[in-house]
Amino acid sequence: MKLPLTLGEFIIENQRDFPYASGELSQLLSSLRIAAKVVNREINKAGLADIRGAAGNDNVQGEAQQKLDVFANDIFIRSLRARGEVCGVGSEEEEDFISFNDPIHNTSKYVVLIDPLDGSSNIDVNVSVGTIFSIYRRVSDPGTPVQMRDFLQSGSEQVASGYIVYGSSTMLVYTTGRGVNGFTFDPGIGSFYLSHPNLTIPRRGKIYSINEGNYVHFPEGVKKYIKFCQEFNPESDRPYSSRYIGSLVSDFHRNMLKGGIYIYPKGTTAPNGKLRLLYECNPLAFIAEQAGGKASDGYGRIMEIVPTDLHQRVPYFIGSIEMVEEAERFMKQYADLVS
Ligand code: AHG
Ligand code: MN
Ligand code: MN
């Protein structure tokens, strides 16, 4: 029986797709792979080690940092620095970007944006969490320290993006712009194996994911779309099911496999929505589009937004293309109504 490809073998095999690449991107992806294994081990024993719970300080988002947030942040940054392919990192857990400012790293081609641990409020209740990453080629002069403009690129400039979901099994899913492939971790061997080649998201599904606790704050178009999802219609398999895990990566991954839509709209408590453009919305948008899905801010393509701030937030509609387009029609139809 032929063993499926490991992630390392797959990266090398597909490196040939990049004639200009001399292996740096492969090295970079491998550093993420190694960090994912270390974080996975800590998450799996978080209940035992004293690594659960709050770290006792708030991050730049003003959110209570969980100890695993800090641990995951340190591990990914250390692993990215060690391989020498990255000149700097922007992280949800760091107010400013981190410049690996030395003669070796300043000649590196890439920058990485990362949400080291997504859904961290779920850690202590044993619900799946994730990591999200986005890779760009630097735009500032090689040989110089990385600059903010290297990070404030629109999502359409991404070279690669991906996520790790630490769930009932741990998976790494990524794209380099040639489709989406998913790898499942075998803890017994310590390797990721190709388990979901050429992932595509169904054009339509029966799941909508949104925190309905914020319903009264939603734009009118979102309120109307939710009611549309809930009304009976045999032709379109409605009503849909509502599924909301509270971990973007987990909700997105389920919708990727089964079809569905995830929405985090703007609201009075979150005037621009909650999710961060650079290290949550753009990387998953790249994956969604490569898998035949769609990602929007309710009106336009997420990956065309030109960022102005490392931690800027945007309203987010992502998933099956027909469902996102349906939601956009509601947003357009009720755009003028202030909720
Ligand atoms: P993070 O843990 O990285 O801050 O991300 C949490 C995000 C996302 O994962 C999740 O879908 C959303 O916050 C949940 O927000 P609400 O609790 O406001 O619904
Ligand atoms: Mn997050
Ligand atoms: Mn996070």
Side-chain angles (χ1 to χ4, degrees):
M1 179 192 97
K2 189 173 180 315
L3 263 179
L5 278 179
T6 67
L7 175 55
E9 291 161 346
F10 183 88
I11 291 171
I12 297 297
E13 275 216 2
N14 287 276
Q15 175 179 298
R16 294 186 202 109
D17 285 350
F18 290 85
Y20 57 81
S22 48
E24 288 106 325
L25 183 60
S26 302
Q27 287 286 352
L28 201 175
L29 289 167
S30 286
S31 62
L32 291 166
R33 169 171 59 104
I34 290 161
K37 292 182 185 178
V38 175
V39 171
N40 178 61
R41 186 190 58 201
E42 288 309 311
I43 286 173
N44 288 343
K45 66 179 188 184
L48 305 172
D50 179 34
I51 199 155
R52 296 177 309 164
N57 40 14
D58 287 357
N59 62 12
V60 61
Q61 327 284 338
E63 295 155 349
Q65 265 184 335
Q66 302 294 321
K67 286 179 186 168
L68 264 176
D69 277 324
V70 174
F71 175 83
N73 190 50
D74 292 349
I75 292 295
F76 276 101
I77 290 172
R78 203 180 307 160
S79 189
L80 287 166
R81 186 196 303 261
R83 282 291 175 96
E85 310 309 346
V86 169
C87 47
V89 176
S91 166
E92 175 190 337
E93 303 305 328
E94 303 286 343
E95 182 150 7
D96 199 353
F97 63 83
I98 294 177
S99 170
F100 298 155
N101 182 12
D102 63 44
I104 302 282
H105 289 96
N106 284 350
T107 59
S108 304
K109 271 185 193 165
Y110 298 106
V111 296
V112 172
L113 286 139
I114 191 163
D115 177 356
L117 208 65
D118 172 70
S120 42
S121 58
N122 284 317
I123 294 164
D124 280 357
V125 293
N126 214 9
V127 170
S128 57
V129 292
T131 296
I132 312 170
F133 61 86
S134 178
I135 303 171
Y136 290 86
R137 235 177 263 102
R138 73 179 298 176
V139 291
S140 57
D141 299 336
T144 64
V146 71
Q147 299 175 30
M148 182 58 90
R149 64 194 180 100
D150 292 309
F151 298 97
L152 299 184
Q153 300 184 55
S154 56
S156 53
E157 297 301 314
Q158 290 175 99
V159 175
S161 77
Y163 62 87
I164 299 117
V165 52
Y166 310 98
S168 45
S169 67
T170 291
M171 276 193 70
L172 188 149
V173 178
Y174 83 101
T175 183
T176 56
R178 286 172 170 74
V180 178
N181 290 284
F183 300 80
T184 300
F185 186 60
D186 179 337
I189 300 179
S191 294
F192 283 95
Y193 286 96
L194 181 60
S195 53
H196 297 69
N198 302 313
L199 261 175
T200 54
I201 182 167
R203 290 184 63 81
R204 172 172 293 285
K206 291 188 64 177
I207 293 170
Y208 70 98
S209 313
I210 190 168
N211 182 344
E212 295 192 55
N214 299 322
Y215 180 85
V216 296
H217 305 298
F218 288 158
E220 197 56 27
V222 171
K223 289 181 180 173
K224 291 284 192 278
Y225 178 66
I226 292 173
K227 291 307 162 203
F228 167 79
C229 291
Q230 293 169 341
E231 72 193 10
F232 179 73
N233 178 332
E235 280 87 59
S236 68
D237 265 357
R238 280 184 284 125
Y240 297 150
S241 294
S242 172
R243 290 284 184 278
Y244 193 71
I245 302 170
S247 279
L248 167 62
V249 171
S250 310
D251 280 313
F252 175 72
H253 182 69
R254 181 209 48 241
N255 292 351
M256 268 284 283
L257 299 182
K258 296 191 166 186
I261 184 170
Y262 173 98
I263 303 175
Y264 207 108
K266 74 183 179 89
T268 43
T269 51
N272 294 312
K274 174 180 182 180
L275 300 176
R276 283 57 57 129
L277 174 62
L278 291 183
Y279 41 80
E280 290 174 314
C281 300
N282 270 331
L284 297 186
F286 191 18
I287 295 250
E289 290 194 3
Q290 283 290 313
K294 188 165 188 178
S296 157
D297 63 358
Y299 303 101
R301 186 174 176 237
I302 279 286
M303 294 215 292
E304 282 172 13
I305 297 174
V306 179
T308 52
D309 178 84
L310 206 52
H311 302 289
Q312 104 184 56
R313 301 172 192 263
V314 289
Y316 201 39
F317 298 65
I318 186 169
S320 295
I321 188 162
E322 290 178 12
M323 297 176 84
V324 173
E325 288 174 346
E326 228 157 40
E328 287 179 323
R329 284 195 290 276
F330 278 88
M331 290 302 284
K332 196 168 177 191
Q333 185 178 348
Y334 296 95
D336 306 336
L337 279 179
V338 178
S339 56

